Amino acid sequence: MDYTGCRLFRIAAPGKSVDFLFPVYYYAQKHGSAMILEVKEILQVLDRFIGHYPIYFYLVDSRNTIAWFNQYMGQNLPEMRLGQPLECFKGFSPCPEPCAECLPAEKKFTHAKVEKNLLKARVGPAGTERYIEFFNLPILQPDGQVEGVLRLGIDVTEDEKLQEALRETEKLFKAIVDTSADAVIFLDNEDRILSWNKGAEEIFGYSAGEIIGKSIQMLVPKEVLDFGELDYLHEVLSAKGMVKKFETRRLHKNGRTVYVDISCSRVYDENGNLIGTSEILKDIEDRKHLEFELLRTIHELSKLNQLNEIIHRVYDEQDILRIILIAITAGEGLRFNRSFIIWVDKKEQMLTGHLAIGPANPEEAKRIWGELHLNRGFLKDIVQAYKIDLEGADRGVNEIVQRVRVPLRRRDHILIHALHQKQAVQVKDRQILGSKFPALTFDIDDTNLFDILASDTMVIAPVYSKKEPLGVIIADNSISRREISIEDVESLKLFANQASSAIENARLYHALEERISDLQNAYRQLAENQEKLVRAEKLAAIGEMSAKIAHEIRNPLVSIGGFARLIEKKIAEPEKTRKYAEIIKDQVDNLENILNNILSAANPPKPQKRAVAINHVIEQVVEMLGTALQQRNIEFSAELQETSLPIFGDERLLHQAFLNVFKNAIEALDGRLEGAMIRVTTRPCPEYVEVQISDNGPGIETGLISKIFQAFFTTKSRGTGLGLAVVQQIVESHSGRIEVKSQPNEGTTFYIRLPFATEAAAETVEK
Ligand code: ADP
Ligand code: MG
């Protein structure tokens, strides 16, 4: 090769251009400049080293024809020819033959800049479509004139496909964000809004233009901001990287708050630097509204249920009315400010103000509601704690309600109408709401309902039982002026119905109670009368007979007794005769006692009362029974405590009573061979003296105890069954009581209590 010198030329690379000094040789060439030839030579050499790289590499001279291409290009584009005009090679799809259109033109290149462009072409033997990115590197003469272009192409099909997919996804995302009904926004690290979609515009009212660049705080209500919600969200974001469905409130452009749920997450760039936060805010206004509605309904129902439970457990009508009033006004109840009960007065044929609750004026309201608030608990606690105070807190309203009086016959009066039609009426600014009402009046005497209650807006609800109208409830909000809603009216109506049924229940309950007590009384009286009748009949029958017999045998008995005593005295000897006489005397005493009992039972004698020392009577009885006790080997003990007061009674009858009890004790010990005991005690108590007479005989069977005081009841073959009946009769005629305690096989104790003489009685005795 013939080297004729060096030549400086320049290849421009992106961003800078490099000058090369190459040894070049000249030889004549028809086309192309010497410089292009030089470059060609170099490329030729280069291609030997990098020819196996998948790089497209070709050279275009200043006439726009292909001056050189590398091996790789030749393999992949077999149609390519040297000297072919570039135009003919458009888009890597060369024309089969050089055509007129693309014949080399005599125009010079002017592209002095480095450029990059992307070509889509069919390449390779199979002619598959590929993306090739080309760098155009102009070859410049030192004076800057363009000599040609070196083009370097790299297959970027895979990258390009990825990019395309990415662009598609981006488009998709954009479409989703654009059409989303939710607000999708992006915040930078200073919480400034960077993007704002249509959804956001709809939910918050701001256009993108109005809000982009502004702080997110613009959308947060002040109290939420003060509460520190944004800090909290930042904390959660830092800790977890995301927040899911956080329910809160945000501000609309018009100042209204909107319920939203927020989901947000942090966004990082490819190097892991935090670039901001994406936020999706969903409008949950409708759902919240439903939720509130549901909650309100549940609350209302549970409230009514609570009221129902309380009210149906009370049977006092006044208490029910009081509970009604509290329930209508108290915190957990229907929350009216004031409530009045106007009740039917059947006797006067009037609807009359009866009871009221609530503050008379705003000052009182503060105090009363403060109190109720303090003791706030469940309604049942309030009901229990709060008594309607007719002297203090509720006096004002109760004075007011007394002034409401409307005759029942005034059917054109609003209250009477509500009562008779069983219809609740809502009044607003003195006008009845709803059109189905006839012309009604509000007049009461020379004034009217509104002026009396000092209220123009109220609800009137009737209370009635199945049988008859009972009254009306009036409720208002005259203190707080809170509007009465449809729900309030409905709740009051429901509640008034419950109150009606509670009152009806209470009335039925009382009627039933009265009937039961009447029946019980009637039954008791019947039983008493029957008992009296039976006793009277028995006594009458026996009385007649026994009186006759008694009279018949009394006289002979008396003389037998007298003679027996004579014998006893006169004949000390022989011993046997004295014993017989003793027996005659005992038997006569016995007979006399029997007779006395028969006579007393048949015809109870009226006690001849005077002061009696009870211990003395007992001592006499014991003395009389001394022989009998000795004969039967009965151990007898007495503990008679002194009583400072006497008994006011009939000594003879008391003697008879104690004698009967002692006799029973002796008889009870009859079968006992040893260890038989009788014990008597007297014990003074403040108002009476108690005499206890016990024996350790066989006792009384539990089932028989209730019968032993009945006349003619006896378990003995030779008993009369009159002893205890007479004892009871005598004790009761002395205002005393007799009781018995007995344990089978252990013994029996009789307790006889006799009241001491009162001073007045004692005095009558002394005179
Ligand atoms: P009578 O003695 O004629 O049977 P009472 O009226 O005196 O009639 O007594 C009625 C019954 O009470 C007696 O039959 C007896 O069953 C029982 N009774 C009374 N006192 C005693 C006693 N101390 N121990 C056991 N039973 C007694
Ligand atoms: Mg007896």
Side-chain angles (χ1 to χ4, degrees):
M1 258 200 239
D2 183 14
Y3 294 98
T4 52
C6 290
R7 181 80 192 239
L8 181 76
F9 63 95
R10 176 177 292 170
I11 292 180
K16 57 183 171 190
S17 54
V18 186
D19 288 333
F20 293 90
L21 191 62
F22 275 107
V24 293
Y25 61 94
Y26 294 93
Y27 61 82
Q29 184 75 2
K30 235 171 147 182
H31 308 294
S33 70
M35 198 166 155
I36 286 297
L37 284 175
E38 286 164 29
V39 175
K40 237 169 84 176
E41 290 292 328
I42 296 163
L43 290 173
Q44 211 73 48
V45 176
L46 202 61
D47 201 31
R48 262 190 255 141
F49 299 104
I50 60 166
H52 56 285
Y53 289 162
I55 297 173
Y56 299 88
F57 215 0
Y58 67 99
L59 186 65
V60 181
D61 64 15
S62 58
R63 292 178 62 233
N64 227 2
T65 59
I66 293 170
W68 178 83
F69 53 84
N70 70 344
Q71 292 174 36
Y72 184 75
M73 197 148 180
Q75 285 158 15
N76 282 288
L77 290 156
E79 296 91 345
M80 197 150 190
R81 302 278 174 276
L82 283 177
Q84 201 172 18
L86 190 63
E87 265 74 24
C88 206
F89 184 58
K90 279 181 258 167
F92 269 23
S93 318
C95 314
E97 293 291 324
C99 51
E101 235 176 274
C102 47
L103 279 175
E106 280 297 327
K107 59 176 179 196
K108 287 269 181 193
F109 259 174
T110 49
H111 304 297
K113 276 191 303 187
V114 174
E115 277 174 357
K116 189 179 96 170
N117 50 35
L118 188 72
L119 263 180
K120 196 160 132 193
R122 293 191 170 278
V123 292
T128 46
E129 196 162 73
R130 311 290 296 175
Y131 284 96
I132 298 159
E133 189 164 67
F134 273 98
F135 291 93
N136 294 339
L137 310 169
I139 296 167
L140 306 176
Q141 286 188 352
D143 62 0
Q145 214 190 314
V146 181
E147 275 294 307
V149 182
L150 184 62
R151 302 197 80 200
L152 194 64
I154 299 164
D155 191 324
V156 293
T157 311
E158 297 312 317
D159 280 2
E160 196 53 34
K161 277 189 179 155
L162 269 178
Q163 290 283 331
E164 202 169 319
L166 210 61
R167 276 195 295 275
E168 280 303 315
T169 329
E170 254 174 33
K171 246 199 271 174
L172 206 67
F173 279 138
K174 193 169 174 323
I176 291 172
V177 169
D178 280 349
T179 55
S180 165
D182 299 340
V184 182
I185 62 179
F186 187 77
L187 307 177
D188 69 8
N189 287 334
E190 265 74 54
D191 272 353
R192 281 180 302 237
I193 297 165
L194 291 190
S195 81
W196 185 257
N197 72 339
K198 275 261 175 309
E201 199 172 316
E202 259 160 44
I203 295 175
F204 299 110
Y206 294 101
S207 70
E210 282 173 308
I211 203 158
I212 281 185
K214 304 268 170 60
S215 166
I216 189 74
Q217 292 196 1
M218 254 179 93
L219 296 178
V220 186
K222 183 164 180 314
E223 64 277 14
V224 177
L225 207 59
D226 291 346
F227 188 63
E229 188 182 287
L230 288 188
D231 297 336
Y232 167 75
L233 287 177
H234 273 298
E235 266 170 41
V236 178
L237 272 174
S238 308
K240 300 190 177 161
M242 60 157 67
V243 171
K244 267 188 185 169
K245 294 197 168 183
F246 179 80
E247 289 190 7
T248 181
R249 287 172 303 142
R250 290 291 179 259
L251 275 181
H252 188 272
K253 186 181 173 184
N254 63 15
R256 188 167 53 81
T257 48
V258 190
Y259 276 94
V260 290
D261 88 33
I262 300 181
S263 297
C264 46
S265 61
R266 294 243 142 130
V267 180
Y268 299 89
D269 67 9
E270 58 260 46
N271 300 320
N273 300 316
L274 178 66
I275 52 170
T277 308
S278 72
E279 238 179 59
I280 299 177
L281 300 98
K282 193 185 265 301
D283 180 347
I284 54 169
E285 196 68 13
D286 290 347
R287 199 194 80 203
K288 274 281 162 195
H289 190 72
L290 270 179
E291 251 176 50
F292 286 143
E293 194 58 23
L294 198 69
L295 271 179
R296 204 189 57 74
T297 314
I298 290 172
H299 180 70
E300 203 83 324
L301 282 176
S302 83
K303 211 162 63 183
L304 282 170
N305 188 39
Q306 237 191 73
L307 296 181
N308 201 14
E309 255 179 40
I310 299 170
I311 213 167
H312 277 91
R313 246 185 268 140
V314 177
Y315 295 110
D316 182 274
E317 204 166 306
Q318 287 309 308
D319 271 349
I320 293 178
L321 295 183
R322 193 172 64 81
I323 294 170
I324 292 174
L325 290 181
I326 293 174
I328 292 174
T329 51
E332 269 205 59
L334 309 185
R335 288 172 188 281
F336 281 97
N337 287 176
R338 309 187 302 172
S339 164
F340 306 84
I341 286 181
I342 327 285
W343 221 228
V344 169
D345 181 338
K346 273 206 243 171
K347 215 166 79 203
E348 302 245 324
Q349 283 295 298
M350 279 271 183
L351 194 59
T352 313
H354 183 71
L355 198 62
I357 192 171
N361 51 51
E363 288 76 58
E364 226 181 80
K366 259 193 215 148
R367 196 168 49 72
I368 294 180
W369 292 338
E371 267 171 39
L372 283 178
H373 192 74
L374 269 186
N375 317 323
R376 195 159 71 164
F378 286 108
L379 195 58
K380 60 171 183 278
D381 303 327
I382 300 182
V383 163
Q384 252 169 20
Y386 194 82
K387 299 268 178 263
I388 293 176
D389 184 357
L390 297 177
E391 294 306 317
D394 300 296
R395 193 177 65 196
V397 277
N398 277 287
E399 278 170 6
I400 289 176
V401 80
Q402 304 299 328
R403 293 174 54 203
V404 180
R405 285 174 62 83
V406 188
L408 287 178
R409 67 187 140 72
R410 287 200 56 190
R411 298 263 172 168
D412 64 332
H413 195 279
I414 179 96
L415 296 184
I416 307 294
H417 178 86
L419 181 73
H420 284 304
Q421 299 303 311
K422 298 179 181 171
Q423 192 178 22
V425 187
Q426 195 181 352
V427 179
K428 191 175 179 190
D429 299 326
R430 302 196 176 209
Q431 296 294 316
I432 299 175
L433 297 188
S435 52
K436 49 190 186 294
F437 290 96
L440 294 172
T441 167
F442 293 86
D443 294 350
I444 292 174
D445 297 332
D446 49 2
T447 168
N448 60 61
L449 187 65
F450 305 120
D451 291 341
I452 292 178
L453 300 185
S455 173
D456 298 342
T457 298
M458 61 189 70
V459 195
I460 302 164
V463 183
Y464 44 86
S465 73
K466 280 202 192 87
K467 272 206 324 237
E468 56 195 348
L470 302 174
V472 295
I473 299 173
I474 302 179
D476 74 9
N477 284 336
S478 69
I479 306 292
S480 70
R481 306 242 162 246
R482 183 173 67 84
E483 187 150 342
I484 298 173
S485 67
I486 297 174
E487 287 87 5
D488 292 337
V489 178
E490 285 306 314
S491 298
L492 185 70
K493 265 160 69 178
L494 266 176
F495 182 59
N497 281 345
Q498 285 183 338
S500 303
S501 87
I503 288 176
E504 185 158 14
N505 270 358
R507 289 191 171 179
L508 281 173
Y509 179 84
H510 286 301
L512 206 66
E513 225 177 24
E514 266 170 36
R515 296 275 302 150
I516 289 173
S517 126
D518 283 355
L519 275 173
Q520 275 173 342
N521 282 340
Y523 178 77
R524 202 177 309 123
Q525 234 161 29
L526 198 72
E528 273 172 23
N529 285 343
Q530 199 175 17
E531 203 178 307
K532 271 187 200 159
L533 204 71
V534 169
R535 219 159 85 180
E537 263 179 11
K538 274 184 181 175
L539 293 181
I542 200 73
E544 248 174 81
M545 278 282 282
S546 55
K548 268 186 204 158
I549 297 168
H551 278 293
E552 292 298 320
I553 62 174
R554 181 181 273 285
N555 293 341
L557 264 182
V558 170
S559 58
I560 291 172
F563 285 118
R565 274 183 204 100
L566 262 177
I567 294 169
E568 195 190 5
K569 276 183 194 155
K570 296 252 163 103
I571 310 165
E573 291 289 338
E575 185 64 14
K576 257 192 184 164
T577 320
R578 203 181 62 83
K579 216 169 186 153
Y580 293 151
E582 231 170 57
I583 292 169
I584 295 172
K585 193 195 78 180
D586 277 1
Q587 288 305 321
V588 170
D589 283 349
N590 225 353
L591 268 174
E592 211 170 343
N593 180 244
I594 292 171
L595 272 179
N596 282 341
N597 280 345
I598 292 175
L599 283 174
S600 299
N603 197 5
K606 200 169 178 303
Q608 303 297 312
K609 290 184 183 174
R610 42 194 302 256
V612 177
I614 203 74
N615 286 349
H616 179 63
V617 177
I618 292 170
E619 276 160 5
Q620 277 188 339
V621 173
V622 171
E623 198 187 306
M624 187 177 161
L625 292 170
T627 333
L629 290 170
Q630 259 175 20
Q631 278 172 353
R632 288 175 169 81
N633 214 4
I634 294 170
E635 188 189 323
F636 178 82
S637 69
E639 188 190 310
L640 307 178
Q641 292 182 33
E642 273 306 316
T643 60
S644 51
L645 285 169
I647 295 291
F648 184 54
D650 184 325
E651 200 170 322
R652 203 175 49 83
L653 291 179
L654 289 172
H655 182 97
Q656 188 185 350
F658 286 116
L659 186 66
N660 283 347
V661 178
F662 274 110
K663 268 187 174 299
N664 279 345
I666 292 170
E667 283 160 13
L669 292 167
D670 244 359
R672 196 163 174 143
L673 293 176
E674 53 186 25
M677 274 192 308
I678 292 178
R679 179 178 164 76
V680 58
T681 62
T682 55
R683 187 170 64 93
C685 295
E687 284 167 11
Y688 54 85
V689 58
E690 185 182 79
V691 183
Q692 287 186 22
I693 299 160
S694 335
D695 64 69
N696 59 351
I700 305 168
E701 268 179 53
T702 324
L704 299 182
I705 286 193
S706 61
K707 294 188 173 166
I708 58 172
F709 293 103
Q710 289 176 7
F712 308 114
F713 173 80
T714 179
T715 55
K716 297 166 192 165
S717 55
R718 292 177 60 194
T720 61
L722 290 175
L724 288 178
V726 169
V727 174
Q728 190 180 44
Q729 194 270 318
I730 293 172
V731 170
E732 281 174 1
S733 71
H734 283 77
S735 314
R737 281 182 65 82
I738 177 162
E739 271 169 29
V740 59
K741 278 190 187 142
S742 183
Q743 193 72 37
N745 297 325
E746 284 185 14
T748 307
T749 304
F750 283 87
Y751 301 82
I752 296 169
R753 289 176 188 164
L754 295 164
F756 287 127
T758 57
E759 274 175 35
E763 266 172 36
T764 49
V765 173
E766 272 162 31
K767 278 172 202 165

